[in-house]
């Protein structure tokens, strides 16, 4: 065991009251990490509180115990805080909480696979080479507490690996991911429930919204992009996670090296950038989304990253400016 692992395990073993936090717009990896960890800790007779900044999308309604997640933090005493699937930069939502000072100098363990900014606090169990936080959690906890594993826990971690890998499309270390998944399936992870509910099922409104996004597609040099305003989501009665379906579809369009989905949310514009993984001689030329996003405030991974900029002027004009800036950044890579 590395010293960080040893420390994290000790802190978790000794703590009786634990609060687990996840990031904005919880995705499958986030939900799987949190619920998997929660069940492992409950089985060790620990009192666990889990905190979500905003409600998970209804596409996750099929997940067992999802309704137990609470979004109000009580700011009481906890022996240990755990962050899953986010570190320094992702803590911006914590700053927006009622008492941000609460988090200062608290015993903290972080499980994450995002690139950091070097300013992270706490004991970091971080592996940017891993496809998902659920994978990291599984690799550690199956060594620490194999006897506690059950079908639910295996399904939670399977959910995270499946959703962050785009159902095994984006993983880089195939042997690592597939051997972990094989172990989870042997522990009775329910693959069918994840495939049927998360990978295949779409609401009719989500498909109609996709049609809107497809009609707006533009192509500028290395970038294919489309956009929406959050108010339009309301018209279609869908949530952000359902709207993101468009991104999964447009990233398969042949041609440009990167795709971008822009959305206007209140006074911010959020962008999701995805690069195509190039093959053969071109392999070295794959766009580094993390570098692009960092220049626009945020980051993520090499092939997928997000950014956020304040709204200024007309949405359509700002879109053109953002696209120009991204293309300029790509050019200098
Ligand atoms: Mn993740």
């Amino acid at each position: 065991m590395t010293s960080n692992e040893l420390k994290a395990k000790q802190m978790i073993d000794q703590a009786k009251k634990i609060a687990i936090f996840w990031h904005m717009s919880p995705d499958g990896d986030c939900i799987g990490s949190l619920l998997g960890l929660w069940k492992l800790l409950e089985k060790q007779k620990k009192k666990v509180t889990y905190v979500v900044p905003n409600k998970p999308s209804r596409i996750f309604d099929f997940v067992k115990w999802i309704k137990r997640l609470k979004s109000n933090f009580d700011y009481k005493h906890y022996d240990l805080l755990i962050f899953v699937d986010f570190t320094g930069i992702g803590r911006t939502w914590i700053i927006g909480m009622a008492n941000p000072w609460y988090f200062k100098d608290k015993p903290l363990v972080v499980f994450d696979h995002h690139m950091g900014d070097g300013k992270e606090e706490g004991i970091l169990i971080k592996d940017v080479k891993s496809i998902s936080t659920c994978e990291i959690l599984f690799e550690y906890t199956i060594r620490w507490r194999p006897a506690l594993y059950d079908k639910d826990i295996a399904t939670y971690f399977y959910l995270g690996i499946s959703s962050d890998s785009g159902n095994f499309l984006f993983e880089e270390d195939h042997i690592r991911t597939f051997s972990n998944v094989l172990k989870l399936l042997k522990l009775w992870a329910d693959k069918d429930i994840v495939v049927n509910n998360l990978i295949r099922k779409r609401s009719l409104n989500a498909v109609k919204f996709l049609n809107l996004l497809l009609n707006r597609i533009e192509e500028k040099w290395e970038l294919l992009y489309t956009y929406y305003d959050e108010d339009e989501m309301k018209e279609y009665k869908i949530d952000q996670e359902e709207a993101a379906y468009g991104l999964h579809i447009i990233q398969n369009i042949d041609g440009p090296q990167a795709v971008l989905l822009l959305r206007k949310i209140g006074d911010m514009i959020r962008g999701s950038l995805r690069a195509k993984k190039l093959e053969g001689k071109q392999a070295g030329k794959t766009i580094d989304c993390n570098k692009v996003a960092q220049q626009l405030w945020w980051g993520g991974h090499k092939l997928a990253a997000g950014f956020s900029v304040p709204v200024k002027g007309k949405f359509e004009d700002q879109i053109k400016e953002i696209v120009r800036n991204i293309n300029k950044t790509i050019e200098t890579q």
Side-chain angles (χ1 to χ4, degrees):
M1 270 193 211
T2 63
S3 65
N4 255 19
E5 180 181 353
L6 205 62
K7 247 185 251 168
K9 186 178 182 300
Q10 268 172 3
M11 284 164 84
I12 293 170
D13 281 347
Q14 283 162 13
K16 291 197 177 69
K17 277 188 80 183
I18 301 175
I20 317 177
F21 295 81
W22 64 13
H23 54 69
M24 285 303 278
S25 315
D27 57 16
D29 188 28
C30 199
I31 291 167
S33 299
L34 189 138
L35 289 173
L37 196 54
W38 157 69
K39 207 166 178 203
L40 281 167
L41 295 171
E42 286 248 310
K43 283 191 166 183
Q44 295 170 68
K45 306 271 179 288
K46 297 179 191 299
K47 245 189 122 287
V48 186
T49 295
Y50 23 81
V51 186
V52 291
N54 48 6
K55 238 181 105 203
S57 164
R58 63 169 161 265
I59 66 167
F60 296 111
D61 280 356
F62 72 95
V63 177
K64 212 168 165 183
W65 300 119
I66 189 103
K67 296 276 189 246
R68 282 184 156 203
L69 304 171
K70 295 171 195 106
S71 57
N72 282 331
F73 185 45
D74 57 16
Y75 295 97
K76 284 187 183 153
H77 172 78
Y78 289 91
D79 307 322
L80 178 66
L81 307 181
I82 299 178
F83 292 175
V84 289
D85 206 36
F86 72 98
T87 23
I89 35 171
R91 284 182 68 182
T92 40
W93 71 265
I94 279 177
I95 294 165
M97 285 178 92
N99 301 316
W101 46 264
Y102 175 91
F103 296 89
K104 216 175 156 23
D105 306 321
K106 286 271 164 22
L108 170 69
V109 172
V110 178
F111 293 96
D112 189 25
H113 68 125
H114 294 90
M115 287 183 194
D117 56 3
K119 289 184 219 145
E120 296 94 338
E121 290 156 45
I123 302 300
L124 297 177
I125 302 287
K126 203 179 179 68
D127 183 351
V128 295
K129 290 211 174 95
S130 174
I131 189 71
S132 78
T133 303
C134 279
E135 179 174 72
I136 301 170
L137 278 172
F138 174 63
E139 287 174 349
Y140 281 87
T141 56
I142 194 69
R143 277 191 278 125
W144 295 351
R145 300 274 178 178
L148 296 180
Y149 264 79
D150 61 21
K151 186 184 172 88
D152 285 348
I153 299 168
T155 304
Y156 288 138
F157 291 150
Y158 179 89
L159 163 74
I161 297 175
S162 160
S163 74
D164 262 20
S165 67
N167 207 28
F168 313 107
L169 285 174
F170 317 135
E171 86 284 347
E172 304 243 305
D173 191 341
H174 310 303
I175 291 170
R176 178 179 180 181
T177 302
F178 280 94
S179 56
N180 281 325
V181 161
L182 181 62
K183 283 179 203 156
L184 286 166
L185 291 172
K186 284 183 175 166
L187 290 162
W188 307 107
D190 192 342
K191 174 175 174 278
D192 287 347
I193 198 172
V194 176
V195 169
N196 291 337
N197 288 283
L198 200 68
I199 311 300
R200 309 188 78 155
K201 194 166 76 184
R202 300 283 176 258
S203 68
L204 181 58
N205 279 352
V207 176
K208 285 180 178 168
F209 191 76
L210 169 70
N211 187 37
L212 177 83
L213 297 188
L214 293 179
N215 280 324
R216 282 182 186 159
I217 282 185
E218 300 255 6
E219 194 181 347
K220 275 268 145 38
W221 197 51
E222 289 299 355
L223 209 56
L224 188 105
Y225 66 95
T226 187
Y227 58 91
Y228 65 85
D229 190 311
E230 198 186 33
D231 294 337
E232 292 171 321
M233 250 166 44
K234 287 173 198 147
E235 279 168 42
Y236 283 79
K237 297 192 185 67
I238 59 163
D239 61 33
Q240 206 186 296
E241 203 65 40
E242 289 178 287
Y245 178 39
L247 188 61
H248 299 305
I249 299 296
I250 65 172
Q251 66 188 354
N252 294 324
I253 296 173
D254 193 21
Q257 283 189 43
V259 295
L260 173 69
L261 176 65
L262 289 165
R263 51 196 196 274
K264 189 171 164 201
I265 305 172
D267 53 5
M268 296 304 283
I269 292 177
R270 294 251 164 97
S272 301
L273 190 65
R274 299 277 181 279
K276 290 220 186 97
K277 205 173 153 188
L278 301 176
E279 292 161 353
K281 275 187 195 157
Q282 295 264 294
K285 288 184 185 153
T286 296
I287 290 162
D288 189 336
C289 292
N290 186 51
K291 274 192 198 156
V292 176
Q294 272 178 349
Q295 304 214 7
L296 287 155
W297 186 26
W298 262 14
H301 312 275
K302 206 164 177 261
L303 292 171
F307 61 85
S308 183
V309 291
V311 168
K312 67 170 201 253
K314 248 181 89 191
F315 188 27
E316 278 76 12
D317 295 339
Q318 200 176 356
I319 289 171
K320 283 188 190 126
E321 192 198 319
I322 291 169
V323 168
R324 256 199 315 275
N325 286 339
I326 293 178
N327 269 328
K328 248 188 251 162
T329 317
I330 292 173
E331 206 174 12
T332 56
Q333 272 187 20

